[in-house]
Amino acid sequence: MQHTLEEFLRALRAADVKVSPAEAIDAARTVAAVGYGDRELFKDALCATLAKSRDEVGRFDATFETFFTRTSLDLAPPPEADEQRSGEDPPGVADSPLAQMLLAGDAATVAQAMEDAARRAGVAEIRLSTQRSRMTRRLLDEMGLAEVEAIIAGARTLPEHQGLAERLDAARKALAGEAQRFVERQHALYAAGSGKALREEMLAKKALNADGGIDPVDLVMMQALVRRMAKRLADRYSRRRHRANRGHLDVRKTLRRSMAHGGVPFQIAWKIKKVDKPSIVAICDVSKSVAAAAQFLLTFLYSLNDVVDHLDAYAFSGRLIPVNAILDDNGVEGAILKVLQTIGFQQTDYGRALQDFCENHLDGVDRHTTVIFLGDGRSNFADPRLDLMQLIQQRARAVIWLNPEPESYWGQGDSVMHRYARFTHVAKPCNTLGQLERIIEDVLRTYSAH
């Protein structure tokens, strides 16, 4: 039964119920204590051990029912074939365990044989819905269906075995239907999320400034994906910070404190490694060509509440405005529309935006601040105000520029990106969610390393 438990835990992970190795060991101990006899006790004990939230309890219940529910096979012959077996069996029946089980109508034994054959056929490795037909045939072949089909074909050539052939054929059809349902359950258990994962993998590589914009359905999935990416990074770097705060024993400080207690180390002192949270200033071009990328960047940053100490967000197309209040009032999804209503449809002017920022908000930039620019660096041939860009670089801890355009486009036409890049610490193309995640992680890793 250990194999059954391991497969169930794998199904839970596929259903997005997180099961760590330690929790898998706890589950094995729980099963050893309660046994498999009482279904409800078994289910409740595992649920209490493995499900850690209300959502996970719901996914656990659904996965448990799908995994452990078995339908009984109906191997009864059709009325016209309901006759007693008499005389010798057709050739091959004696050599086919599956044929004997089907003729005997032993549904329990057939069901167990199907479970064993599924393991040999690797049915649990199914990942795509297009694999179901092939997996069903592989399962039936492992059970010995080819032999049964040969027996049926041979029996139909002999008049005395016509009834038995019909009975065996009816059982074969019932078996094929049950095998198909079995494979569909395996797909639901182990591959229901694989199609979604494949879709998300494709969306993580989708160009944010693609011609024609982003499909509304894809947009919803991408928004959920970027929040999940941010949560993954927040969890990772929150753990690093908490681990650093625990520190190690500070022997010298402990000994000094113990002098007041006759040398007894009554008060323990720990070495503390302080890990700063990043303070981020995000300056986003929200002109039509990069508005989608700006929305995802702001979604990403606002989802990092546990890791980011402070975030100031600004948006511009011509003039620059702070958007923290707009984000708080409208949420990230609605903020871009509100910002466009406020400053949209202006001629893009990076020099004017830099001037607005330096005149009104430069005091918020210091040696603890990472400034992230998002834009294509196309300023419609206006003065790019490189002097202000240099000033920001001198005040900030780091300046990062994310450009949705390929690097080969920098400097072409009205692009002054190659000139701005001299005053950044990092300037990279960033046109997909995957690239955005990697760059933000680099920022967090830099703070964590100091």
Side-chain angles (χ1 to χ4, degrees):
M1 296 299 287
Q2 179 62 27
H3 175 78
T4 301
L5 179 60
E6 291 173 358
E7 289 298 303
F8 177 60
L9 296 181
R10 192 160 72 87
L12 286 177
R13 293 186 180 104
D16 204 24
V17 177
K18 293 179 174 59
V19 181
S20 67
E23 289 168 339
I25 294 173
D26 290 341
R29 291 173 175 169
T30 299
V31 171
V34 304
Y36 291 88
D38 188 325
R39 178 186 175 90
E40 289 303 316
L41 176 61
F42 172 70
K43 177 182 177 180
D44 291 344
L46 276 183
C47 184
T49 304
L50 299 172
K52 298 169 284 297
S53 68
R54 179 174 297 180
D55 288 342
E56 287 196 355
V57 169
R59 291 194 291 271
F60 177 94
D61 288 343
T63 303
F64 185 94
E65 293 303 323
T66 302
F67 187 91
F68 287 104
T69 298
R70 296 292 183 271
T71 57
S72 58
L73 281 170
D74 182 10
L75 300 178
E80 64 271 15
D82 190 12
E83 59 181 28
Q84 297 294 324
R85 294 173 59 188
S86 58
E88 294 183 358
D89 287 330
V93 171
D95 299 325
S96 172
L98 178 59
Q100 295 178 31
M101 286 186 285
L102 293 177
L103 290 172
D106 192 348
T109 305
V110 172
Q112 184 58 53
M114 184 175 294
E115 299 273 355
D116 296 338
R119 280 194 287 271
R120 296 193 301 272
V123 175
E125 302 303 319
I126 188 170
R127 288 295 175 267
L128 302 173
S129 59
T130 53
Q131 295 176 299
R132 287 184 294 189
S133 296
R134 181 165 57 88
M135 283 293 187
T136 300
R137 186 65 209 188
R138 183 185 296 178
L139 168 61
L140 291 170
D141 286 344
E142 282 290 338
M143 294 186 70
L145 184 65
E147 298 173 355
V148 172
E149 290 173 337
I151 293 171
I152 294 172
R156 282 176 171 164
T157 64
L158 303 173
E160 64 272 22
H161 294 307
Q162 288 290 327
L164 188 141
E166 293 302 319
R167 178 176 180 176
L168 193 56
D169 187 51
R172 177 191 65 81
K173 292 177 180 177
L175 177 67
E178 179 59 27
Q180 184 177 5
R181 289 188 290 272
F182 181 91
V183 171
E184 288 173 352
R185 286 200 303 273
Q186 302 304 296
H187 179 268
L189 284 169
Y190 301 111
S194 62
K196 181 180 178 182
L198 181 62
R199 181 64 178 162
E200 289 181 346
E201 182 179 347
M202 294 174 60
L203 291 177
K205 300 176 182 178
K206 183 179 180 66
L208 300 180
N209 61 346
D211 293 338
I214 300 174
D215 183 270
V217 176
D218 288 347
L219 181 62
V220 172
M221 291 189 67
M222 292 171 76
Q223 288 168 344
L225 177 60
V226 77
R227 283 191 290 268
R228 192 155 58 251
M229 287 177 172
K231 184 179 184 303
R232 182 165 62 242
L233 291 182
D235 290 344
R236 182 180 306 164
Y237 289 95
S238 291
R239 285 196 298 270
R240 287 188 179 185
R241 186 171 62 257
H242 294 158
R243 184 164 60 245
N245 286 341
R246 286 199 296 269
H248 301 281
L249 179 66
D250 190 328
V251 177
R252 290 194 295 180
K253 188 177 290 187
T254 299
L255 290 176
R256 285 198 301 269
R257 290 182 178 178
S258 69
M259 294 176 65
H261 306 284
V264 178
F266 186 76
Q267 292 180 313
I268 304 299
W270 302 95
K271 292 181 178 179
I272 300 298
K273 177 183 178 183
K274 184 179 179 181
V275 179
D276 292 332
K277 291 183 178 182
S279 177
I280 292 178
V281 169
I283 302 176
C284 301
D285 180 357
V286 293
S287 58
K288 182 178 179 181
S289 59
V290 291
Q295 179 174 344
F296 287 118
L297 173 63
L298 293 175
T299 301
F300 213 126
L301 295 176
Y302 263 74
S303 300
L304 290 173
N305 291 328
D306 292 338
V307 182
V308 176
D309 182 48
H310 185 71
L311 171 66
D312 286 322
Y314 304 90
F316 72 93
S317 56
R319 302 302 296 262
L320 177 141
I321 62 170
V323 296
N324 282 48
I326 297 176
L327 288 164
D328 292 339
D329 293 340
N330 300 275
V332 180
E333 289 77 7
I336 295 297
L337 179 59
K338 186 66 175 179
V339 169
L340 289 175
Q341 291 173 347
T342 306
I343 60 169
F345 312 108
Q346 301 175 6
Q347 188 174 20
T348 306
D349 188 342
Y350 277 76
R352 178 73 254 184
L354 288 172
Q355 181 178 334
D356 289 344
F357 178 78
C358 290
E359 288 179 352
N360 302 306
H361 311 290
L362 190 60
D363 290 344
V365 178
D366 56 28
R367 300 307 297 173
H368 300 284
T369 306
T370 295
V371 180
I372 300 178
F373 284 89
L374 179 70
D376 55 14
R378 295 189 176 275
S379 195
N380 292 299
F381 302 104
D383 183 358
R385 297 300 304 270
L386 299 178
D387 57 320
L388 299 180
M389 191 69 193
Q390 183 178 22
L391 178 60
I392 294 172
Q393 182 203 35
Q394 292 170 347
R395 293 178 63 98
R397 172 173 180 161
V399 176
I400 298 172
W401 195 298
L402 310 180
N403 193 321
E405 291 188 343
E407 193 167 354
S408 59
Y409 288 14
W410 298 2
Q412 294 186 14
D414 62 343
S415 172
V416 290
M417 185 62 217
H418 61 300
R419 301 174 68 185
Y420 282 135
R422 292 181 298 167
F423 303 106
T424 67
H425 297 83
V426 176
K428 290 185 176 182
C430 181
N431 193 29
T432 68
L433 295 184
Q435 291 173 335
L436 178 60
E437 180 185 24
R438 288 191 293 272
I439 293 169
I440 298 300
E441 183 173 14
D442 287 343
V443 174
L444 298 178
R445 187 186 297 116
T446 299
Y447 279 85
S448 181
H450 288 78

